[in-house]
């Protein structure tokens, strides 16, 4: 308040002095005017004239007041930035903030964050609202927005509590009881694995399989005449199903390795041995097809020595059983060998407490929804149990065996089908029982959160790599343009921009034709996994890009058709159906649906579709060949035209076809003829043994005796993709 009063007083004093100065100036001018026009008033003018010292005093007083006011204003302006820094808005930030979180903390829209990051090394096009920002870019945005940075230690150090479900500690040995062995049958395709299992189960599974090959993991509980029970897993032997074989080996106690006596050790045989070794599982060797005349079991045993599978006959610990799955010969001997090995392993399990198991296979059933085939490894599963597997959970609604019969309990080593899943878990996921539905949701949420965190870490790595790339590109640009004049620099940039113009329509269509978008649907999770694993081997992207738009389990739906229409793609179905309504809809929209029951047929179809996207190859087919015997020239108008005298050695020469001139094995010229004569007559065809004279459509070409003229025609041949999936 005092400041304002002082300011007001100073202004009033300054105003008064200015008025006095103004009146003095007016008096001085009046006095001078009177002095000029009237000398009679000289005395009076002198009296009116103010003395100089009075004027100077007033001026000095006015200037001192002015200086006082100006000085105070300058001091105030120097002090003014201080309160403005204090008034800067503080923004609380933390490491790993997303674009959206930073915008929310600044109370601005997302576009303002993007604007602040323009003309920096970061690639704005790759930034999404959920993308994580480095510390450098957070600081840059805050600085450009005129705000103050404040690191939030709470956010930075806060760690979410681990809510995952885990296995129980090892059970008390006193609680363990003997359990049935889980045996996986492995080996090369078509070596008789499923037929062997059919004999043990007295069923006809092999007869019902598409193409006569297993394409899923089959889980069966077999009761032997002795009363012993064995759980068998029948894995596919085809090269495409490597992941299924590995999964089967991980959940098993014993591996029965089936090798055909007439075929010996093959590629998938070796792979199966490796899976068993990786899982530290003992092997029982079943040498199948011993009923055949060309069978040689000893050869099989010797071949296996190279892979550290040493049979008992050769001083090792691997039991070798000679069997014939077709006739049923020595089946009981194989079962007894398996039971003997299981007794040596002393297999036991805890049937009490929370359930633990493994998903063997998963699929979607029309009536039951998501279904899993599982092996129970600990505890006893009952109806109503709450299970968690991967990022899915279930309240068990129904359990059934391999024959589809409902069961009330599933004990250790028992294969069982489970319904009641909210989502479809993946094959190979670990099954754990939890106490309640809220707890199951909590576990699934935690696992999804963990997956998101991993993805965010990968995104940050990718952003950092992109940032380094842009910094390097910026540095190179500075080196490139740094020494140039601004006009030269502008011209070069203009030329580069012109080169980056959008593709023309024709070029765009050509580019799109070299991309094959596909949608894959399978009956079970393992089948889809196998198909995707094969697609991972695709190495011909330079010819045609293979783009996976969507994959899933279950029959082909209207959504799949719409997706294929949007991306101009093809739908591949494996062991699934497409209803009449779906097929009609696809036909109207121009979408191809290709259904297969054998996996290698599907891959062959995919190869053909890829090949159809490639441009045709132009092949040259020879029609005739002539040798040059003499050269001369003729005059046509004012110019001389070189002519070759030839004799046809093979086939015939046709004027309308294409020609090439060959000298010492090298092609000198390709083109057409302008003249072909036999003696003096023009002709269109010259046959073998006849002489002719010909001239080319290019005058600069010189003929030499001994050169060869080849007449050929061009034919377009469909190209084939170079991709080899390995089978």
């Amino acid at each position: 308040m005092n400041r304002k009063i002082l300011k007001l007083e100073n202004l009033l004093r300054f105003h008064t002095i200015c008025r006095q100065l103004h009146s003095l100036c007016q008096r001085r001018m009046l006095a001078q005017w009177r002095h000029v026009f009237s000398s009679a008033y000289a005395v009076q003018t002198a009296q009116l004239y103010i003395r100089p010292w009075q004027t100077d005093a007033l001026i000095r007083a006015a200037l001192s007041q002015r200086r006082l006011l100006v000085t105070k204003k300058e001091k105030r302006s120097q002090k003014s930035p201080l309160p403005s820094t204090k008034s800067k808005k503080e923004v609380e930030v933390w490491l790993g903030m997303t674009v959206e979180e930073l915008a929310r903390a600044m109370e601005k829209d997302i576009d303002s964050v993007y604007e602040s990051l323009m003309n920096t090394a970061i690639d704005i096009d790759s930034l999404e609202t959920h993308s994580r920002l480095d510390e450098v870019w957070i600081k840059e945005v805050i600085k450009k927005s005129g705000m103050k940075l404040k690191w939030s230690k709470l956010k930075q150090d806060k760690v979410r509590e681990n809510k995952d479900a885990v296995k129980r500690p090892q059970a008390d040995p006193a609680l363990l009881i003997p359990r049935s062995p889980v045996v996986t049958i492995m080996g090369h395709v078509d070596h008789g694995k499923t037929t062997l299992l059919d004999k043990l189960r007295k069923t006809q599974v092999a007869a019902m399989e598409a193409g006569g090959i297993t394409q899923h993991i089959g889980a069966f509980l077999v009761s032997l005449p002795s009363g012993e029970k064995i759980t068998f897993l029948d894995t596919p032997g085809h090269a495409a199903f490597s992941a299924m074989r590995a999964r089967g080996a991980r959940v098993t106690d014993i591996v029965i390795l089936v090798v055909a006596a007439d075929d010996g050790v093959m590629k998938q045989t070796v792979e199966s041995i490796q899976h068993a070794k990786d899982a530290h599982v003992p092997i029982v060797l079943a040498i199948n097809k011993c009923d055949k005349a060309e069978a040689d079991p000893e050869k099989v045993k010797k071949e296996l020595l190279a892979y550290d599978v040493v049979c008992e006959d050769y001083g090792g610990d691997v039991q070798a059983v000679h069997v014939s799955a077709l006739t049923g010969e020595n089946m009981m001997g194989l079962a007894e060998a398996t039971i003997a090995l299981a007794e040596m392993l002393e297999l036991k399990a805890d049937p009490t407490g929370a359930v633990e198991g493994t998903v063997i296979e998963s699929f979607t059933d029309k009536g039951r929804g998501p279904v899993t085939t599982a092996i129970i490894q600990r505890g006893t599963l009952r109806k109503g149990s709450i299970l968690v597997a991967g990022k899915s959970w279930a309240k068990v609604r129904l359990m059934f065996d391999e024959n589809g019969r409902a069961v009330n309990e599933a004990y250790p080593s028992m294969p069982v089908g489970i319904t009641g899943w909210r989502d479809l878990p993946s094959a190979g996921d670990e099954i754990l029982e939890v106490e309640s539905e809220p707890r199951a949701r909590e576990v699934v949420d935690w696992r999804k959160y963990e997956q998101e965190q991993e993805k965010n870490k990968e995104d940050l790595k990718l952003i950092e790599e992109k940032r380094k790339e842009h910094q390097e590109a910026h540095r190179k640009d500075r080196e490139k343009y740094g020494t140039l004049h601004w006009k030269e620099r502008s011209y070069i940039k203009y030329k580069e921009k012109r080169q980056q113009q959008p593709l023309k329509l024709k070029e765009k269509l050509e580019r799109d034709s070299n991309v094959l978008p596909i949608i894959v649907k399978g009956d079970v999770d393992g089948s889809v996994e196998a198909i995707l694993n094969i697609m991972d081997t695709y190495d011909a992207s330079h010819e045609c890009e293979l783009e996976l738009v969507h994959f899933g389990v279950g029959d082909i739906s209207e959504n799949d058709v719409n997706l294929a229409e949007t991306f101009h793609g093809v739908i591949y179905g494996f062991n699934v159906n497409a209803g009449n309504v779906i097929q009609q809809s696809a036909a109207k929209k121009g979408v191809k649906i290709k259904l297969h029951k054998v996996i290698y047929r599907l891959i062959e179809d995919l190869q053909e579709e890829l090949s159809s996207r490639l441009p045709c190859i132009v092949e040259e087919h020879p029609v005739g060949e002539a040798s040059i015997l003499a050269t001369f020239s003729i005059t046509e108008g004012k110019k001389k035209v070189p002519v070759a005298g030839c004799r046809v050695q093979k086939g015939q020469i046709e004027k309308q076809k294409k020609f090439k001139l060959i000298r010492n094995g090298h092609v000198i010229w390709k083109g057409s003829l302008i003249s072909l004569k036999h003696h003096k007559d023009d002709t269109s065809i010259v046959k073998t043994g006849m002489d002719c004279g010909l001239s080319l459509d290019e005058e600069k070409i010189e003929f030499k005796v001994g050169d060869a003229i080849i007449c050929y025609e061009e034919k377009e041949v469909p190209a084939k993709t170079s991709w080899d999936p390995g089978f």
Side-chain angles (χ1 to χ4, degrees), residues 129-344:
T129 53
H130 57 270
S131 299
R132 304 273 167 180
L133 293 171
D134 287 350
E135 184 182 341
V136 181
W137 306 123
I138 293 171
K139 287 180 177 177
E140 184 73 15
V141 172
I142 299 294
K143 181 182 174 184
K144 286 188 177 178
S145 301
M147 297 182 183
K148 193 176 178 184
L149 190 75
K150 181 184 176 185
W151 289 105
S152 172
K153 290 185 179 179
L154 182 66
K155 283 269 185 184
Q156 197 174 332
D157 301 333
K158 187 178 178 181
V159 179
R160 189 168 168 178
E161 187 183 351
N162 191 333
K163 298 287 184 180
D164 203 1
V166 292
K167 285 184 174 182
R168 290 181 287 150
Q170 290 292 329
D172 184 355
L175 298 173
L176 301 179
I177 60 168
R179 64 172 177 84
S180 304
V182 178
V183 179
T184 300
I185 299 177
M186 301 178 79
H188 192 70
V189 64
D190 202 30
H191 275 202
K193 299 182 298 299
T194 305
T195 309
L196 185 146
L197 186 56
D198 281 347
K199 281 295 175 184
L200 291 169
R201 297 178 64 221
K202 297 178 182 177
T203 57
Q204 291 294 318
V205 174
M208 296 182 287
E209 288 180 336
I213 63 170
T214 303
Q215 302 181 108
H216 313 113
I217 288 185
F220 312 99
L221 186 64
V222 176
S223 296
L224 302 176
S226 60
E228 300 284 351
K229 290 184 177 180
I230 303 175
T231 295
F232 281 103
L233 300 182
D234 182 18
T235 62
H238 196 273
F241 297 99
S242 175
M244 283 193 191
R245 287 191 290 277
R247 190 157 56 247
R250 284 197 299 271
V251 298
T252 196
D253 303 311
I254 299 166
V255 167
I256 293 180
L257 183 66
V258 179
V259 185
D262 62 334
D263 207 7
V265 175
M266 302 296 284
K267 186 177 178 181
Q268 272 67 58
T269 311
V270 176
E271 189 193 87
S272 298
I273 292 167
Q274 193 58 50
H275 286 321
K277 286 182 177 179
D278 292 343
H280 305 289
V281 177
I283 294 173
V284 173
L285 177 62
I287 304 176
N288 193 20
K289 303 186 182 182
C290 288
D291 57 315
K292 286 193 172 184
E294 59 270 25
D296 189 355
E298 292 305 315
K299 179 191 170 188
V300 172
K301 293 177 187 177
K302 287 175 183 176
E303 285 178 350
L304 287 169
L305 290 172
Y307 305 100
D308 292 332
V309 177
V310 186
C311 298
E312 290 176 338
D313 298 351
Y314 291 89
D317 55 358
V318 176
Q319 298 178 78
V321 184
H322 299 189
V323 297
S324 172
L326 196 63
T327 63
E329 179 190 340
N330 207 17
M331 285 291 106
M332 290 314 298
L334 179 62
E336 287 167 6
T338 306
I339 292 295
L341 182 56
E343 288 174 356
M344 290 172 61

Side-chain angles (χ1 to χ4, degrees), residues 21 111 208 241 318 322 411 457 513 524 572 623 698 701 708:
L21 278 170
D111 290 339
M208 296 182 287
F241 297 99
V318 176
H322 299 189
Y411 43 84
K457 285 179 184 176
S513 67
V524 296
Y572 283 92
V623 176
E698 192 172 334
I701 298 296

Side-chain angles (χ1 to χ4, degrees), residues 115 142 246 301 305 312 326 433 449 459 483 489 498 562 581 614 660 692:
E115 284 172 14
I142 299 294
K301 293 177 187 177
L305 290 172
E312 290 176 338
L326 196 63
E433 185 180 2
Y449 167 76
D459 288 347
T483 56
R489 188 162 59 244
R498 283 291 299 272
N562 292 335
V581 176
L614 303 180
K660 55 184 175 182
C692 64

Side-chain angles (χ1 to χ4, degrees), residues 335-392:
E336 287 167 6
T338 306
I339 292 295
L341 182 56
E343 288 174 356
M344 290 172 61
L345 295 172
E346 296 182 350
L347 302 171
K348 292 183 179 182
D350 175 16
T352 63
V355 171
E356 294 173 11
T358 302
V359 176
I360 298 299
E361 199 56 274
S362 60
F363 58 96
T364 302
D365 185 86
K366 276 186 179 178
R368 294 169 174 167
V371 180
T372 61
T373 301
I375 294 286
I376 305 304
Q377 293 165 314
R378 190 175 180 184
T380 302
L381 182 63
R382 295 179 178 86
K383 190 177 175 181
S385 298
I386 309 297
L387 304 178
V388 174
K391 289 177 283 299
S392 179

